[in-house]
Amino acid sequence: MQAASLGKPIVVHHMAALDSTDQSLYPWTYPPNALEAIRACLEAGAPFIEIDVTALRRGDYLLVHDPVLESETTGQGDVSAADADTVKRLHIKHNGHPTAYAPALLSEVVALFQEYGGTSRLQIDFKNVLPMRDDEPLRRLVALIKPLGERVLVSSGADWHLRALRRLDHQLDLGFDIGFYLDYRPHPVDPRLPPYREGAYGYHDDHILSLQPLLSAAAYLEERIDILYRQITEVSTWYVHYRLLARALADGFNLAAWLHLVGIKLDAWTMDADKPDAMAHLADLQASGVDQFTTNTPRALAALLEG
């Protein structure tokens, strides 16, 4: 199967990064997911800005990755129990230390995008994973982002939430991260994260197909990808860790080419220019037809892709 690239790769600014969030080295930068960081990306003409959101108790979403406030803010307790007035009195924590910046709300991000206009798009990485008691938080999300129209995409590894969002809004652009189902982990990761088992082909995969190496690695991967595609077909983009993509290429399977045949783009994350392992695979991934690269070093990576 030959790659069918959809054009020049797009660089996605991970958590609204502009090459570094280390303020000891780059004092003009801002913490991840900060409203000020998003503004800086918009002013720089970023093509795609990614943020993390988690549902508050009511009314809005908070730009944090984790479900508890203490992970990324000076607050305590579940994000789902807090409201907007409470969290706006907090400060973002970065590298374990409080900063001068207040955590951002999704409504503020939408207003900022409306203020700037232009062509920059917003990727909302939806961090709520477990099923919800009702669909109010999803309806809330759809209502909050409606003013941005085609400029917004919602991504998640929780395909049950993506299917629910599709039922609520037939036009909403959606993206699927397959990491809960298939991964490649040459280095230890949090054992609480699925998939829980390394299968016979060397990939982390809890599916029965991974129990014994009865197929070639490429045939196994094609079967697994087809199964995952059928779980949710109405998405525009898949988000896949670069190590999985590189290992699949080594095993003779080009995921970008497979997805292009069904009209889906591929994003490789997180491809940082200061990460030697990631950069060792950059040329092969670009040649394979990867459409987007999510990165914490967007300017440096864009220069490498141009080169």
PDB file of all heavy atoms in Angstrom, residues 159-195:
ATOM      1  N   ASP A 159     -13.996   6.876  22.549  1.00  0.00           N
ATOM      2  CA  ASP A 159     -14.845   6.871  21.358  1.00  0.00           C
ATOM      3  C   ASP A 159     -16.325   6.927  21.703  1.00  0.00           C
ATOM      4  O   ASP A 159     -17.141   7.362  20.893  1.00  0.00           O
ATOM      5  CB  ASP A 159     -14.533   5.662  20.471  1.00  0.00           C
ATOM      6  CG  ASP A 159     -14.502   4.357  21.221  1.00  0.00           C
ATOM      7  OD1 ASP A 159     -13.614   4.175  22.078  1.00  0.00           O
ATOM      8  OD2 ASP A 159     -15.355   3.503  20.957  1.00  0.00           O
ATOM      9  N   TRP A 160     -16.698   6.526  22.928  1.00  0.00           N
ATOM     10  CA  TRP A 160     -18.105   6.636  23.335  1.00  0.00           C
ATOM     11  C   TRP A 160     -18.540   8.097  23.429  1.00  0.00           C
ATOM     12  O   TRP A 160     -19.664   8.437  23.075  1.00  0.00           O
ATOM     13  CB  TRP A 160     -18.334   5.908  24.663  1.00  0.00           C
ATOM     14  CG  TRP A 160     -17.296   6.161  25.711  1.00  0.00           C
ATOM     15  CD1 TRP A 160     -17.344   7.078  26.716  1.00  0.00           C
ATOM     16  CD2 TRP A 160     -16.037   5.479  25.849  1.00  0.00           C
ATOM     17  NE1 TRP A 160     -16.209   7.028  27.480  1.00  0.00           N
ATOM     18  CE2 TRP A 160     -15.382   6.046  26.984  1.00  0.00           C
ATOM     19  CE3 TRP A 160     -15.408   4.452  25.155  1.00  0.00           C
ATOM     20  CZ2 TRP A 160     -14.127   5.630  27.416  1.00  0.00           C
ATOM     21  CZ3 TRP A 160     -14.149   4.032  25.587  1.00  0.00           C
ATOM     22  CH2 TRP A 160     -13.525   4.613  26.707  1.00  0.00           C
ATOM     23  N   HIS A 161     -17.631   8.967  23.878  1.00  0.00           N
ATOM     24  CA  HIS A 161     -17.951  10.391  23.897  1.00  0.00           C
ATOM     25  C   HIS A 161     -18.019  10.965  22.481  1.00  0.00           C
ATOM     26  O   HIS A 161     -18.864  11.822  22.182  1.00  0.00           O
ATOM     27  CB  HIS A 161     -16.922  11.163  24.713  1.00  0.00           C
ATOM     28  CG  HIS A 161     -17.015  10.944  26.186  1.00  0.00           C
ATOM     29  ND1 HIS A 161     -18.199  10.736  26.835  1.00  0.00           N
ATOM     30  CD2 HIS A 161     -16.046  10.908  27.151  1.00  0.00           C
ATOM     31  CE1 HIS A 161     -17.978  10.578  28.129  1.00  0.00           C
ATOM     32  NE2 HIS A 161     -16.685  10.671  28.349  1.00  0.00           N
ATOM     33  N   LEU A 162     -17.118  10.506  21.614  1.00  0.00           N
ATOM     34  CA  LEU A 162     -17.140  10.993  20.239  1.00  0.00           C
ATOM     35  C   LEU A 162     -18.439  10.612  19.535  1.00  0.00           C
ATOM     36  O   LEU A 162     -19.019  11.418  18.802  1.00  0.00           O
ATOM     37  CB  LEU A 162     -15.940  10.431  19.465  1.00  0.00           C
ATOM     38  CG  LEU A 162     -14.560  10.912  19.926  1.00  0.00           C
ATOM     39  CD1 LEU A 162     -13.466  10.196  19.143  1.00  0.00           C
ATOM     40  CD2 LEU A 162     -14.419  12.427  19.775  1.00  0.00           C
ATOM     41  N   ARG A 163     -18.912   9.385  19.756  1.00  0.00           N
ATOM     42  CA  ARG A 163     -20.182   8.983  19.140  1.00  0.00           C
ATOM     43  C   ARG A 163     -21.341   9.822  19.680  1.00  0.00           C
ATOM     44  O   ARG A 163     -22.253  10.200  18.931  1.00  0.00           O
ATOM     45  CB  ARG A 163     -20.427   7.491  19.362  1.00  0.00           C
ATOM     46  CG  ARG A 163     -19.560   6.586  18.486  1.00  0.00           C
ATOM     47  CD  ARG A 163     -19.997   5.140  18.584  1.00  0.00           C
ATOM     48  NE  ARG A 163     -19.691   4.579  19.893  1.00  0.00           N
ATOM     49  CZ  ARG A 163     -18.530   3.990  20.224  1.00  0.00           C
ATOM     50  NH1 ARG A 163     -17.564   3.900  19.319  1.00  0.00           N
ATOM     51  NH2 ARG A 163     -18.337   3.504  21.424  1.00  0.00           N
ATOM     52  N   ALA A 164     -21.301  10.124  20.982  1.00  0.00           N
ATOM     53  CA  ALA A 164     -22.353  10.963  21.566  1.00  0.00           C
ATOM     54  C   ALA A 164     -22.302  12.377  20.996  1.00  0.00           C
ATOM     55  O   ALA A 164     -23.344  12.980  20.695  1.00  0.00           O
ATOM     56  CB  ALA A 164     -22.216  10.998  23.086  1.00  0.00           C
ATOM     57  N   LEU A 165     -21.102  12.920  20.827  1.00  0.00           N
ATOM     58  CA  LEU A 165     -20.968  14.250  20.233  1.00  0.00           C
ATOM     59  C   LEU A 165     -21.470  14.267  18.789  1.00  0.00           C
ATOM     60  O   LEU A 165     -22.095  15.235  18.352  1.00  0.00           O
ATOM     61  CB  LEU A 165     -19.513  14.714  20.290  1.00  0.00           C
ATOM     62  CG  LEU A 165     -19.002  15.138  21.666  1.00  0.00           C
ATOM     63  CD1 LEU A 165     -17.485  15.279  21.658  1.00  0.00           C
ATOM     64  CD2 LEU A 165     -19.658  16.445  22.113  1.00  0.00           C
ATOM     65  N   ARG A 166     -21.207  13.198  18.066  1.00  0.00           N
ATOM     66  CA  ARG A 166     -21.705  13.127  16.692  1.00  0.00           C
ATOM     67  C   ARG A 166     -23.234  13.132  16.661  1.00  0.00           C
ATOM     68  O   ARG A 166     -23.854  13.761  15.800  1.00  0.00           O
ATOM     69  CB  ARG A 166     -21.152  11.862  16.005  1.00  0.00           C
ATOM     70  CG  ARG A 166     -21.719  11.570  14.630  1.00  0.00           C
ATOM     71  CD  ARG A 166     -21.480  12.701  13.630  1.00  0.00           C
ATOM     72  NE  ARG A 166     -20.088  12.863  13.307  1.00  0.00           N
ATOM     73  CZ  ARG A 166     -19.416  14.010  13.390  1.00  0.00           C
ATOM     74  NH1 ARG A 166     -20.027  15.122  13.812  1.00  0.00           N
ATOM     75  NH2 ARG A 166     -18.149  14.087  13.074  1.00  0.00           N
ATOM     76  N   ARG A 167     -23.870  12.460  17.608  1.00  0.00           N
ATOM     77  CA  ARG A 167     -25.336  12.473  17.656  1.00  0.00           C
ATOM     78  C   ARG A 167     -25.877  13.865  17.979  1.00  0.00           C
ATOM     79  O   ARG A 167     -26.929  14.257  17.478  1.00  0.00           O
ATOM     80  CB  ARG A 167     -25.834  11.467  18.706  1.00  0.00           C
ATOM     81  CG  ARG A 167     -25.628  10.010  18.324  1.00  0.00           C
ATOM     82  CD  ARG A 167     -26.365   9.076  19.250  1.00  0.00           C
ATOM     83  NE  ARG A 167     -25.840   9.093  20.617  1.00  0.00           N
ATOM     84  CZ  ARG A 167     -24.873   8.303  21.065  1.00  0.00           C
ATOM     85  NH1 ARG A 167     -24.298   7.418  20.234  1.00  0.00           N
ATOM     86  NH2 ARG A 167     -24.471   8.364  22.321  1.00  0.00           N
ATOM     87  N   LEU A 168     -25.129  14.613  18.797  1.00  0.00           N
ATOM     88  CA  LEU A 168     -25.572  15.952  19.182  1.00  0.00           C
ATOM     89  C   LEU A 168     -25.329  16.990  18.099  1.00  0.00           C
ATOM     90  O   LEU A 168     -26.061  17.975  17.997  1.00  0.00           O
ATOM     91  CB  LEU A 168     -24.868  16.391  20.466  1.00  0.00           C
ATOM     92  CG  LEU A 168     -25.230  15.613  21.737  1.00  0.00           C
ATOM     93  CD1 LEU A 168     -24.312  16.017  22.877  1.00  0.00           C
ATOM     94  CD2 LEU A 168     -26.691  15.859  22.114  1.00  0.00           C
ATOM     95  N   ASP A 169     -24.257  16.789  17.304  1.00  0.00           N
ATOM     96  CA  ASP A 169     -23.901  17.759  16.265  1.00  0.00           C
ATOM     97  C   ASP A 169     -23.338  16.995  15.067  1.00  0.00           C
ATOM     98  O   ASP A 169     -22.201  16.516  15.108  1.00  0.00           O
ATOM     99  CB  ASP A 169     -22.876  18.763  16.805  1.00  0.00           C
ATOM    100  CG  ASP A 169     -22.572  19.881  15.826  1.00  0.00           C
ATOM    101  OD1 ASP A 169     -22.856  19.727  14.622  1.00  0.00           O
ATOM    102  OD2 ASP A 169     -22.043  20.925  16.263  1.00  0.00           O
ATOM    103  N   HIS A 170     -24.122  16.896  14.015  1.00  0.00           N
ATOM    104  CA  HIS A 170     -23.714  16.117  12.843  1.00  0.00           C
ATOM    105  C   HIS A 170     -22.590  16.778  12.052  1.00  0.00           C
ATOM    106  O   HIS A 170     -21.957  16.119  11.225  1.00  0.00           O
ATOM    107  CB  HIS A 170     -24.923  15.868  11.928  1.00  0.00           C
ATOM    108  CG  HIS A 170     -26.008  15.060  12.569  1.00  0.00           C
ATOM    109  ND1 HIS A 170     -25.820  13.756  12.989  1.00  0.00           N
ATOM    110  CD2 HIS A 170     -27.278  15.369  12.889  1.00  0.00           C
ATOM    111  CE1 HIS A 170     -26.932  13.290  13.516  1.00  0.00           C
ATOM    112  NE2 HIS A 170     -27.840  14.250  13.488  1.00  0.00           N
ATOM    113  N   GLN A 171     -22.334  18.066  12.306  1.00  0.00           N
ATOM    114  CA  GLN A 171     -21.320  18.801  11.548  1.00  0.00           C
ATOM    115  C   GLN A 171     -19.995  18.943  12.294  1.00  0.00           C
ATOM    116  O   GLN A 171     -19.000  19.344  11.697  1.00  0.00           O
ATOM    117  CB  GLN A 171     -21.845  20.200  11.198  1.00  0.00           C
ATOM    118  CG  GLN A 171     -23.143  20.206  10.414  1.00  0.00           C
ATOM    119  CD  GLN A 171     -23.033  19.454   9.109  1.00  0.00           C
ATOM    120  OE1 GLN A 171     -22.050  19.592   8.383  1.00  0.00           O
ATOM    121  NE2 GLN A 171     -24.045  18.660   8.798  1.00  0.00           N
ATOM    122  N   LEU A 172     -19.956  18.616  13.570  1.00  0.00           N
ATOM    123  CA  LEU A 172     -18.766  18.847  14.382  1.00  0.00           C
ATOM    124  C   LEU A 172     -17.589  18.004  13.892  1.00  0.00           C
ATOM    125  O   LEU A 172     -17.724  16.794  13.659  1.00  0.00           O
ATOM    126  CB  LEU A 172     -19.067  18.513  15.850  1.00  0.00           C
ATOM    127  CG  LEU A 172     -17.961  18.765  16.864  1.00  0.00           C
ATOM    128  CD1 LEU A 172     -17.530  20.212  16.864  1.00  0.00           C
ATOM    129  CD2 LEU A 172     -18.438  18.339  18.264  1.00  0.00           C
ATOM    130  N   ASP A 173     -16.441  18.642  13.742  1.00  0.00           N
ATOM    131  CA  ASP A 173     -15.220  17.951  13.328  1.00  0.00           C
ATOM    132  C   ASP A 173     -14.656  17.194  14.528  1.00  0.00           C
ATOM    133  O   ASP A 173     -14.446  17.768  15.603  1.00  0.00           O
ATOM    134  CB  ASP A 173     -14.201  18.970  12.810  1.00  0.00           C
ATOM    135  CG  ASP A 173     -13.076  18.328  12.011  1.00  0.00           C
ATOM    136  OD1 ASP A 173     -13.095  17.096  11.808  1.00  0.00           O
ATOM    137  OD2 ASP A 173     -12.176  19.079  11.583  1.00  0.00           O
ATOM    138  N   LEU A 174     -14.390  15.892  14.340  1.00  0.00           N
ATOM    139  CA  LEU A 174     -13.959  15.037  15.437  1.00  0.00           C
ATOM    140  C   LEU A 174     -12.649  14.334  15.101  1.00  0.00           C
ATOM    141  O   LEU A 174     -12.351  14.052  13.934  1.00  0.00           O
ATOM    142  CB  LEU A 174     -15.022  13.972  15.734  1.00  0.00           C
ATOM    143  CG  LEU A 174     -16.400  14.473  16.175  1.00  0.00           C
ATOM    144  CD1 LEU A 174     -17.363  13.301  16.317  1.00  0.00           C
ATOM    145  CD2 LEU A 174     -16.301  15.245  17.492  1.00  0.00           C
ATOM    146  N   GLY A 175     -11.857  14.028  16.148  1.00  0.00           N
ATOM    147  CA  GLY A 175     -10.615  13.292  16.000  1.00  0.00           C
ATOM    148  C   GLY A 175     -10.512  12.187  17.031  1.00  0.00           C
ATOM    149  O   GLY A 175     -10.966  12.350  18.171  1.00  0.00           O
ATOM    150  N   PHE A 176      -9.919  11.060  16.657  1.00  0.00           N
ATOM    151  CA  PHE A 176      -9.864   9.856  17.486  1.00  0.00           C
ATOM    152  C   PHE A 176      -8.419   9.501  17.805  1.00  0.00           C
ATOM    153  O   PHE A 176      -7.597   9.336  16.900  1.00  0.00           O
ATOM    154  CB  PHE A 176     -10.545   8.704  16.746  1.00  0.00           C
ATOM    155  CG  PHE A 176     -10.587   7.392  17.480  1.00  0.00           C
ATOM    156  CD1 PHE A 176     -10.742   7.332  18.857  1.00  0.00           C
ATOM    157  CD2 PHE A 176     -10.496   6.196  16.781  1.00  0.00           C
ATOM    158  CE1 PHE A 176     -10.789   6.118  19.529  1.00  0.00           C
ATOM    159  CE2 PHE A 176     -10.553   4.980  17.431  1.00  0.00           C
ATOM    160  CZ  PHE A 176     -10.696   4.931  18.809  1.00  0.00           C
ATOM    161  N   ASP A 177      -8.115   9.400  19.097  1.00  0.00           N
ATOM    162  CA  ASP A 177      -6.815   8.917  19.565  1.00  0.00           C
ATOM    163  C   ASP A 177      -6.970   7.442  19.909  1.00  0.00           C
ATOM    164  O   ASP A 177      -7.737   7.079  20.796  1.00  0.00           O
ATOM    165  CB  ASP A 177      -6.373   9.712  20.799  1.00  0.00           C
ATOM    166  CG  ASP A 177      -4.958   9.365  21.257  1.00  0.00           C
ATOM    167  OD1 ASP A 177      -4.558   8.201  21.110  1.00  0.00           O
ATOM    168  OD2 ASP A 177      -4.275  10.258  21.777  1.00  0.00           O
ATOM    169  N   ILE A 178      -6.224   6.562  19.239  1.00  0.00           N
ATOM    170  CA  ILE A 178      -6.423   5.116  19.386  1.00  0.00           C
ATOM    171  C   ILE A 178      -5.629   4.518  20.549  1.00  0.00           C
ATOM    172  O   ILE A 178      -5.622   3.304  20.737  1.00  0.00           O
ATOM    173  CB  ILE A 178      -6.053   4.370  18.093  1.00  0.00           C
ATOM    174  CG1 ILE A 178      -4.540   4.447  17.817  1.00  0.00           C
ATOM    175  CG2 ILE A 178      -6.848   4.919  16.912  1.00  0.00           C
ATOM    176  CD1 ILE A 178      -4.081   3.546  16.684  1.00  0.00           C
ATOM    177  N   GLY A 179      -4.985   5.359  21.353  1.00  0.00           N
ATOM    178  CA  GLY A 179      -4.044   4.881  22.363  1.00  0.00           C
ATOM    179  C   GLY A 179      -4.623   3.995  23.448  1.00  0.00           C
ATOM    180  O   GLY A 179      -3.884   3.242  24.090  1.00  0.00           O
ATOM    181  N   PHE A 180      -5.932   4.062  23.708  1.00  0.00           N
ATOM    182  CA  PHE A 180      -6.544   3.169  24.695  1.00  0.00           C
ATOM    183  C   PHE A 180      -6.627   1.732  24.187  1.00  0.00           C
ATOM    184  O   PHE A 180      -6.827   0.803  24.972  1.00  0.00           O
ATOM    185  CB  PHE A 180      -7.963   3.627  25.051  1.00  0.00           C
ATOM    186  CG  PHE A 180      -8.026   4.864  25.896  1.00  0.00           C
ATOM    187  CD1 PHE A 180      -9.198   5.610  25.959  1.00  0.00           C
ATOM    188  CD2 PHE A 180      -6.935   5.300  26.627  1.00  0.00           C
ATOM    189  CE1 PHE A 180      -9.272   6.753  26.737  1.00  0.00           C
ATOM    190  CE2 PHE A 180      -6.996   6.440  27.405  1.00  0.00           C
ATOM    191  CZ  PHE A 180      -8.167   7.175  27.454  1.00  0.00           C
ATOM    192  N   TYR A 181      -6.482   1.559  22.872  1.00  0.00           N
ATOM    193  CA  TYR A 181      -6.700   0.250  22.259  1.00  0.00           C
ATOM    194  C   TYR A 181      -5.441  -0.381  21.674  1.00  0.00           C
ATOM    195  O   TYR A 181      -5.313  -1.608  21.643  1.00  0.00           O
ATOM    196  CB  TYR A 181      -7.756   0.367  21.159  1.00  0.00           C
ATOM    197  CG  TYR A 181      -9.094   0.806  21.668  1.00  0.00           C
ATOM    198  CD1 TYR A 181      -9.521   2.126  21.522  1.00  0.00           C
ATOM    199  CD2 TYR A 181      -9.939  -0.082  22.316  1.00  0.00           C
ATOM    200  CE1 TYR A 181     -10.764   2.534  21.994  1.00  0.00           C
ATOM    201  CE2 TYR A 181     -11.175   0.317  22.802  1.00  0.00           C
ATOM    202  CZ  TYR A 181     -11.584   1.627  22.634  1.00  0.00           C
ATOM    203  OH  TYR A 181     -12.814   2.025  23.116  1.00  0.00           O
ATOM    204  N   LEU A 182      -4.541   0.450  21.175  1.00  0.00           N
ATOM    205  CA  LEU A 182      -3.334  -0.065  20.533  1.00  0.00           C
ATOM    206  C   LEU A 182      -2.205   0.921  20.771  1.00  0.00           C
ATOM    207  O   LEU A 182      -2.371   2.125  20.551  1.00  0.00           O
ATOM    208  CB  LEU A 182      -3.576  -0.248  19.033  1.00  0.00           C
ATOM    209  CG  LEU A 182      -2.431  -0.849  18.210  1.00  0.00           C
ATOM    210  CD1 LEU A 182      -2.173  -2.300  18.629  1.00  0.00           C
ATOM    211  CD2 LEU A 182      -2.757  -0.776  16.716  1.00  0.00           C
ATOM    212  N   ASP A 183      -1.058   0.400  21.219  1.00  0.00           N
ATOM    213  CA  ASP A 183       0.068   1.280  21.530  1.00  0.00           C
ATOM    214  C   ASP A 183       1.359   0.481  21.372  1.00  0.00           C
ATOM    215  O   ASP A 183       1.355  -0.753  21.334  1.00  0.00           O
ATOM    216  CB  ASP A 183      -0.059   1.803  22.968  1.00  0.00           C
ATOM    217  CG  ASP A 183       0.728   3.087  23.200  1.00  0.00           C
ATOM    218  OD1 ASP A 183       1.372   3.572  22.258  1.00  0.00           O
ATOM    219  OD2 ASP A 183       0.699   3.596  24.332  1.00  0.00           O
ATOM    220  N   TYR A 184       2.465   1.209  21.287  1.00  0.00           N
ATOM    221  CA  TYR A 184       3.788   0.579  21.286  1.00  0.00           C
ATOM    222  C   TYR A 184       4.595   1.267  22.376  1.00  0.00           C
ATOM    223  O   TYR A 184       4.753   2.496  22.355  1.00  0.00           O
ATOM    224  CB  TYR A 184       4.470   0.730  19.930  1.00  0.00           C
ATOM    225  CG  TYR A 184       5.883   0.191  19.930  1.00  0.00           C
ATOM    226  CD1 TYR A 184       6.131  -1.152  20.206  1.00  0.00           C
ATOM    227  CD2 TYR A 184       6.963   1.021  19.656  1.00  0.00           C
ATOM    228  CE1 TYR A 184       7.426  -1.642  20.218  1.00  0.00           C
ATOM    229  CE2 TYR A 184       8.252   0.542  19.661  1.00  0.00           C
ATOM    230  CZ  TYR A 184       8.478  -0.791  19.947  1.00  0.00           C
ATOM    231  OH  TYR A 184       9.760  -1.279  19.975  1.00  0.00           O
ATOM    232  N   ARG A 185       5.078   0.482  23.338  1.00  0.00           N
ATOM    233  CA  ARG A 185       5.693   1.044  24.536  1.00  0.00           C
ATOM    234  C   ARG A 185       7.072   0.455  24.806  1.00  0.00           C
ATOM    235  O   ARG A 185       7.231  -0.453  25.622  1.00  0.00           O
ATOM    236  CB  ARG A 185       4.780   0.803  25.744  1.00  0.00           C
ATOM    237  CG  ARG A 185       3.414   1.444  25.604  1.00  0.00           C
ATOM    238  CD  ARG A 185       2.481   1.079  26.738  1.00  0.00           C
ATOM    239  NE  ARG A 185       1.179   1.737  26.579  1.00  0.00           N
ATOM    240  CZ  ARG A 185       0.138   1.524  27.370  1.00  0.00           C
ATOM    241  NH1 ARG A 185       0.238   0.668  28.384  1.00  0.00           N
ATOM    242  NH2 ARG A 185      -0.994   2.153  27.160  1.00  0.00           N
ATOM    243  N   PRO A 186       8.094   0.969  24.128  1.00  0.00           N
ATOM    244  CA  PRO A 186       9.452   0.502  24.410  1.00  0.00           C
ATOM    245  C   PRO A 186       9.970   0.961  25.753  1.00  0.00           C
ATOM    246  O   PRO A 186      10.952   0.432  26.265  1.00  0.00           O
ATOM    247  CB  PRO A 186      10.270   1.095  23.266  1.00  0.00           C
ATOM    248  CG  PRO A 186       9.507   2.307  22.848  1.00  0.00           C
ATOM    249  CD  PRO A 186       8.065   1.975  23.058  1.00  0.00           C
ATOM    250  N   HIS A 187       9.308   1.971  26.346  1.00  0.00           N
ATOM    251  CA  HIS A 187       9.691   2.483  27.659  1.00  0.00           C
ATOM    252  C   HIS A 187       8.504   2.338  28.605  1.00  0.00           C
ATOM    253  O   HIS A 187       7.346   2.377  28.187  1.00  0.00           O
ATOM    254  CB  HIS A 187      10.108   3.952  27.559  1.00  0.00           C
ATOM    255  CG  HIS A 187      11.146   4.212  26.506  1.00  0.00           C
ATOM    256  ND1 HIS A 187      12.420   3.707  26.585  1.00  0.00           N
ATOM    257  CD2 HIS A 187      11.072   4.902  25.334  1.00  0.00           C
ATOM    258  CE1 HIS A 187      13.099   4.081  25.516  1.00  0.00           C
ATOM    259  NE2 HIS A 187      12.310   4.800  24.731  1.00  0.00           N
ATOM    260  N   PRO A 188       8.746   2.174  29.902  1.00  0.00           N
ATOM    261  CA  PRO A 188       7.639   2.012  30.860  1.00  0.00           C
ATOM    262  C   PRO A 188       6.715   3.226  30.870  1.00  0.00           C
ATOM    263  O   PRO A 188       7.153   4.370  30.747  1.00  0.00           O
ATOM    264  CB  PRO A 188       8.364   1.849  32.206  1.00  0.00           C
ATOM    265  CG  PRO A 188       9.749   1.399  31.858  1.00  0.00           C
ATOM    266  CD  PRO A 188      10.072   2.054  30.550  1.00  0.00           C
ATOM    267  N   VAL A 189       5.413   2.954  31.002  1.00  0.00           N
ATOM    268  CA  VAL A 189       4.415   4.013  31.149  1.00  0.00           C
ATOM    269  C   VAL A 189       3.541   3.658  32.340  1.00  0.00           C
ATOM    270  O   VAL A 189       3.676   2.587  32.933  1.00  0.00           O
ATOM    271  CB  VAL A 189       3.554   4.172  29.882  1.00  0.00           C
ATOM    272  CG1 VAL A 189       4.418   4.543  28.692  1.00  0.00           C
ATOM    273  CG2 VAL A 189       2.778   2.891  29.594  1.00  0.00           C
ATOM    274  N   ASP A 190       2.634   4.541  32.680  1.00  0.00           N
ATOM    275  CA  ASP A 190       1.723   4.317  33.796  1.00  0.00           C
ATOM    276  C   ASP A 190       0.945   3.022  33.574  1.00  0.00           C
ATOM    277  O   ASP A 190       0.190   2.899  32.601  1.00  0.00           O
ATOM    278  CB  ASP A 190       0.758   5.503  33.891  1.00  0.00           C
ATOM    279  CG  ASP A 190      -0.096   5.465  35.153  1.00  0.00           C
ATOM    280  OD1 ASP A 190      -0.261   4.384  35.736  1.00  0.00           O
ATOM    281  OD2 ASP A 190      -0.603   6.537  35.547  1.00  0.00           O
ATOM    282  N   PRO A 191       1.122   2.014  34.441  1.00  0.00           N
ATOM    283  CA  PRO A 191       0.450   0.718  34.232  1.00  0.00           C
ATOM    284  C   PRO A 191      -1.061   0.784  34.362  1.00  0.00           C
ATOM    285  O   PRO A 191      -1.751  -0.177  34.017  1.00  0.00           O
ATOM    286  CB  PRO A 191       1.067  -0.167  35.318  1.00  0.00           C
ATOM    287  CG  PRO A 191       1.511   0.780  36.380  1.00  0.00           C
ATOM    288  CD  PRO A 191       1.952   2.015  35.665  1.00  0.00           C
ATOM    289  N   ARG A 192      -1.585   1.912  34.842  1.00  0.00           N
ATOM    290  CA  ARG A 192      -3.040   2.062  34.952  1.00  0.00           C
ATOM    291  C   ARG A 192      -3.691   2.406  33.619  1.00  0.00           C
ATOM    292  O   ARG A 192      -4.922   2.387  33.500  1.00  0.00           O
ATOM    293  CB  ARG A 192      -3.379   3.143  35.980  1.00  0.00           C
ATOM    294  CG  ARG A 192      -2.932   2.827  37.401  1.00  0.00           C
ATOM    295  CD  ARG A 192      -3.104   4.035  38.304  1.00  0.00           C
ATOM    296  NE  ARG A 192      -2.246   5.139  37.892  1.00  0.00           N
ATOM    297  CZ  ARG A 192      -2.230   6.332  38.461  1.00  0.00           C
ATOM    298  NH1 ARG A 192      -3.039   6.590  39.472  1.00  0.00           N
ATOM    299  NH2 ARG A 192      -1.418   7.286  38.025  1.00  0.00           N
ATOM    300  N   LEU A 193      -2.879   2.709  32.614  1.00  0.00           N
ATOM    301  CA  LEU A 193      -3.416   3.117  31.320  1.00  0.00           C
ATOM    302  C   LEU A 193      -3.582   1.907  30.403  1.00  0.00           C
ATOM    303  O   LEU A 193      -2.652   1.128  30.211  1.00  0.00           O
ATOM    304  CB  LEU A 193      -2.475   4.122  30.651  1.00  0.00           C
ATOM    305  CG  LEU A 193      -2.327   5.483  31.333  1.00  0.00           C
ATOM    306  CD1 LEU A 193      -1.295   6.320  30.585  1.00  0.00           C
ATOM    307  CD2 LEU A 193      -3.653   6.219  31.388  1.00  0.00           C
ATOM    308  N   PRO A 194      -4.772   1.748  29.803  1.00  0.00           N
ATOM    309  CA  PRO A 194      -4.925   0.701  28.800  1.00  0.00           C
ATOM    310  C   PRO A 194      -4.207   1.097  27.511  1.00  0.00           C
ATOM    311  O   PRO A 194      -3.956   2.286  27.297  1.00  0.00           O
ATOM    312  CB  PRO A 194      -6.443   0.644  28.594  1.00  0.00           C
ATOM    313  CG  PRO A 194      -6.917   2.032  28.912  1.00  0.00           C
ATOM    314  CD  PRO A 194      -5.997   2.533  30.009  1.00  0.00           C
ATOM    315  N   PRO A 195      -3.883   0.078  26.706  1.00  0.00           N
ATOM    316  CA  PRO A 195      -3.996  -1.370  26.873  1.00  0.00           C
ATOM    317  C   PRO A 195      -3.046  -1.873  27.963  1.00  0.00           C
ATOM    318  O   PRO A 195      -1.935  -1.351  28.128  1.00  0.00           O
ATOM    319  CB  PRO A 195      -3.611  -1.929  25.509  1.00  0.00           C
ATOM    320  CG  PRO A 195      -3.562  -0.776  24.568  1.00  0.00           C
ATOM    321  CD  PRO A 195      -3.318   0.433  25.375  1.00  0.00           C
TER     322      PRO A 195
END
